[in-house]
Amino acid sequence: MSISSSPLLLRPSLAIMARLAHSQSALLSPDSNPLLRFFLKRTFYKQFCAGENALEVKQTVDGLRHLGFSGVILAYAKEVVLDKKQTDALASCGNNEAAEACIRNEIIPWANGTLETVRMTRPGDYVALKFTGAGSQALYDLSRQADPSPALKQAIDSVCDLAAEKGVKLLFDAEQAALQPGIDAWTLKYMERYNKTATGEAVIYGTYQAYLKATPAVVASHLEAAQKGSFTLGVKLVRGAYLGSDPRHLIHDTKADTDAAYDGIASALVLKSYNSVLQPSSKTSTDAPFPNIALVLAGHNIHSVRKVQALCTQEIRLGNKAPDVIYAQLQGMADEVSCELVVAAKQALAKSGAEKSVDVPKAYKYLVWGTTGECMKYLFRRAQENKDAVQRTREGRDAMAGELWRRFKTSIGASA
């Protein structure tokens, strides 16, 4: 953690990670270079990832549960990030031997890894899906906004069925802007299929990036689709993670604009009421009842977290049913935010009747698993897109150390 919290070491570390994440050389692959794997596994990987196998993941997750987290969001690290030239050159695998190779070498390994991820979780946990990890045919289908190929559809169906059976929720992660319309179309179809529940719960969630100018309109159109389809809209709200690859003109001009969009969308969803940021997509939306919402508030901004907590408490005290909300931060980042949520939940539950008068926050950690090589693109993207958070990891580390010290003193009978 000292590397990622040091301004002096951070810049060269990012440059090295960029080279490793995008290199095709076996020498620069942590999965084939044991010395490189040894170094990375004990530095960046250890801080930000859950493990390379089920045993390592279990140890990491058990540690988080012991600290008081309500659960985890677990993701299989395999993913693909393309530049514009690569996106334009995408082609279908067809129906010949190339198609069989795509299924055998790309779709099946992705499906197996994702199914294993679901098996690693408990009821109430979440699993994040990266469709680009399924390979070239998935990329082609998404870029053309086409339905998934039969083999990929079968794989996705098997993942969704297993998750629904286990009581695990699925987050269809956002990806590059060139692929997002295709992901949105798939997400709505699966929401309509799996989110039809009388309790308002959701199995499938879409991911919405507040840094994109079009996001409020996209959310509004999906709310209308949920109204018409009578399904719960699962929303994972993030600020955004593809600054390095999304076209700049699609992104808000300032961070303040992104923050306003994020907070405005979150407020509208919690209050189930349109506002100046999230406006109805049509008169039909205005006249119809607001659809059921399940919200994953993902982010490292404590001010946004506190605003939503206050709104949820307000709704509870007014006798309104607040939507199902969880709060999520990345493993290895914003631990001070996570600790505040864990402590707030314990304090609320310790008070008589508190669960009926205040929001009892559910704190989750988002973590990925996979080989060191499979996690490189994730590690580089997180470090690149969250430079401020990476530079603040020393504060997060100190907050976590303080909580552990408080627990130790309590265990030996010393005053906290």
Side-chain angles (χ1 to χ4, degrees):
M1 183 176 280
S2 297
I3 292 176
S4 59
S5 59
S6 167
L8 182 64
L9 297 174
L10 180 60
R11 187 181 297 275
S13 296
L14 286 175
I16 293 170
M17 287 177 67
R19 181 70 183 275
L20 297 177
H22 298 101
S23 174
Q24 301 299 317
S25 167
L27 181 64
L28 296 180
S29 169
D31 288 342
S32 56
N33 184 327
L35 289 178
L36 191 57
R37 178 180 178 276
F38 179 86
F39 171 75
L40 289 169
K41 187 78 184 291
R42 284 155 180 76
T43 52
F44 288 102
Y45 185 97
K46 182 178 180 180
Q47 181 177 346
F48 298 114
C49 300
E52 291 191 299
N53 53 55
L55 178 60
E56 291 181 359
V57 171
K58 184 179 185 304
Q59 292 172 340
T60 301
V61 172
D62 285 349
L64 291 170
R65 295 189 197 280
H66 180 70
L67 286 173
F69 285 89
S70 299
V72 297
I73 300 172
L74 188 61
Y76 180 40
K78 190 176 179 64
E79 65 173 279
V80 176
V81 177
L82 303 176
D83 57 30
K84 186 177 186 304
K85 183 178 179 181
Q86 290 171 317
T87 301
D88 292 341
L90 284 171
S92 171
C93 292
N95 297 305
N96 51 22
E97 291 182 5
E100 292 300 319
C102 283
I103 295 170
R104 182 174 59 254
N105 300 326
E106 298 176 348
I107 294 176
I108 290 177
W110 175 83
N112 289 341
T114 307
L115 288 167
E116 179 64 16
T117 308
V118 176
R119 295 188 187 102
M120 291 178 184
T121 56
R122 298 182 187 177
D125 284 342
Y126 294 70
V127 167
L129 272 69
K130 283 280 184 191
F131 287 126
T132 57
S136 52
Q137 185 63 52
L139 289 162
Y140 177 83
D141 293 337
L142 288 170
S143 67
R144 268 61 180 178
Q145 299 183 41
D147 290 336
S149 68
L152 181 56
K153 182 180 183 302
Q154 182 178 0
I156 299 171
D157 288 350
S158 66
V159 172
C160 293
D161 288 342
L162 179 61
E165 178 185 329
K166 283 201 62 176
V168 172
K169 303 170 189 298
L170 297 176
L171 307 177
F172 289 4
D173 264 349
E175 305 203 40
Q176 293 169 272
L179 305 175
Q180 195 57 46
I183 294 174
D184 287 344
W186 293 6
T187 301
L188 286 177
K189 288 181 179 178
Y190 278 94
M191 279 191 194
E192 188 166 10
R193 177 176 169 184
Y194 286 92
N195 291 5
K196 288 181 175 292
T197 59
T199 60
E201 294 181 354
V203 175
I204 309 297
Y205 289 67
T207 302
Y208 302 86
Q209 302 189 99
Y211 77 165
L212 296 174
K213 296 175 182 177
T215 294
V218 172
V219 174
S221 69
H222 289 192
L223 286 167
E224 184 171 27
Q227 287 171 342
K228 294 178 178 178
S230 299
F231 61 86
T232 298
L233 188 71
V235 176
K236 175 190 170 189
L237 185 62
V238 302
R239 276 175 167 75
Y242 289 90
L243 278 168
S245 56
D246 279 346
R248 186 63 185 86
H249 71 278
L250 299 179
I251 300 170
H252 284 298
D253 298 331
T254 67
K255 182 180 181 298
D257 290 339
T258 295
D259 290 341
Y262 185 97
D263 291 342
I265 293 170
S267 173
L269 296 177
V270 170
L271 298 177
K272 295 186 178 181
S273 175
Y274 293 103
N275 57 25
S276 60
V277 173
L278 185 62
Q279 300 184 8
S281 60
S282 70
K283 190 174 186 304
T284 302
S285 299
T286 306
D287 296 338
F290 210 87
N292 286 328
I293 298 295
L295 177 61
V296 173
L297 193 79
H300 301 158
N301 187 306
I302 190 60
H303 303 294
S304 295
V305 169
R306 289 170 179 166
K307 286 177 182 177
V308 169
Q309 282 184 272
L311 288 175
C312 288
T313 294
Q314 170 188 304
E315 288 298 281
I316 292 169
R317 289 176 175 170
L318 289 173
N320 300 326
K321 186 180 184 302
D324 182 22
V325 180
I326 73 159
Y327 304 85
Q329 290 79 46
L330 297 171
Q331 169 74 352
M333 292 185 181
D335 289 335
E336 70 281 6
V337 178
S338 302
C339 282
E340 178 172 317
L341 287 164
V342 169
V343 171
K346 291 180 179 179
Q347 291 175 341
L349 290 172
K351 296 177 181 177
S352 176
E355 61 271 20
K356 296 180 181 179
S357 61
V358 298
D359 176 46
V360 181
K362 300 173 184 175
Y364 281 66
K365 274 294 188 183
Y366 181 114
L367 25 113
V368 302
W369 77 278
T371 67
T372 310
E374 287 174 330
C375 290
M376 282 309 303
K377 285 187 175 63
Y378 169 84
L379 289 172
F380 173 63
R381 181 161 55 81
R382 290 310 187 193
Q384 182 188 48
E385 304 299 348
N386 293 277
K387 288 179 183 177
D388 322 345
V390 172
Q391 291 171 335
R392 291 196 308 269
T393 50
R394 185 182 298 277
E395 180 182 349
R397 177 194 63 192
D398 294 344
M400 186 65 75
E403 171 65 9
L404 290 172
W405 176 241
R406 184 191 69 78
R407 286 170 178 244
F408 172 72
K409 290 195 294 181
T410 300
S411 71
I412 61 174
S415 60

